[in-house]
Amino acid sequence: QALTTVLPISVYGVGSTLWPRFNVAARRAVQLSTAIGVPILAPLGEGDASKGDLDGQFEDWLQKLLLPALCTFGISPKGGEPLLSESRPQLQAHAAPVSLVVRSCERLAPGDPVARYFEVELSGSLTYSAGDSVGMARNL
């Protein structure tokens, strides 16, 4: 069944220009969407992890391109209830210790630069889900 109304989309991809196929998935999503007639609300945004400050890069795209484009649809970035709200309990200072295992890993893929990363394994009473972050400090 054909859609009678196609809403415009915006895409923001995050990658690293150190990799040959920088943001290929986000770029391809825009190409495919355009090919089937989906209007693009704001130009493709691309965060480059190799330049640092991903939050700042996204904020620039949001303020300069996405929010003004939303205003053309009568959606004001000022005021109103958040479209999505999630409340999570914060880890308290008196919480039980959590065991943390960190492994240093190196991945080689044909034609790609070496990728070095850490795998973190948590055990104990702490739970986590997609979107959570872990901060680590090194004792000197």
Side-chain angles (χ1 to χ4, degrees):
Q1 180 180 5
L3 295 174
T4 56
T5 303
V6 178
L7 296 175
I9 66 165
S10 294
V11 177
Y12 189 87
V14 175
S16 172
T17 52
L18 297 177
W19 294 87
R21 296 172 47 102
F22 171 67
N23 270 337
V24 71
R27 292 174 181 180
R28 187 72 176 133
V30 171
Q31 289 173 344
L32 292 172
S33 298
T34 303
I36 63 170
V38 176
I40 304 300
L41 178 63
L44 171 66
E46 295 185 307
D48 185 355
S50 70
K51 293 180 180 176
D53 192 22
L54 285 172
D55 289 338
Q57 292 175 54
F58 177 77
E59 187 68 24
D60 285 347
W61 176 79
L62 178 73
Q63 295 296 329
K64 294 176 184 173
L65 298 170
L66 183 59
L67 292 179
L70 287 172
C71 287
T72 65
F73 284 89
I75 300 172
S76 172
K78 298 176 184 173
E81 293 297 316
L83 298 177
L84 176 64
S85 175
E86 184 176 340
S87 174
R88 288 197 167 154
Q90 298 295 315
L91 182 62
Q92 301 298 318
H94 63 279
V98 175
S99 175
L100 178 67
V101 177
V102 179
R103 287 180 292 281
S104 177
C105 303
E106 188 172 295
R107 188 186 77 194
L108 297 172
D112 285 343
V114 174
R116 291 182 180 90
Y117 61 97
F118 295 96
E119 290 180 353
V120 177
E121 180 181 316
L122 298 174
S123 62
S125 62
L126 184 65
T127 60
Y128 60 96
S129 61
D132 289 349
S133 61
V134 175
M136 292 189 276
R138 181 178 176 182
N139 293 332
L140 298 175

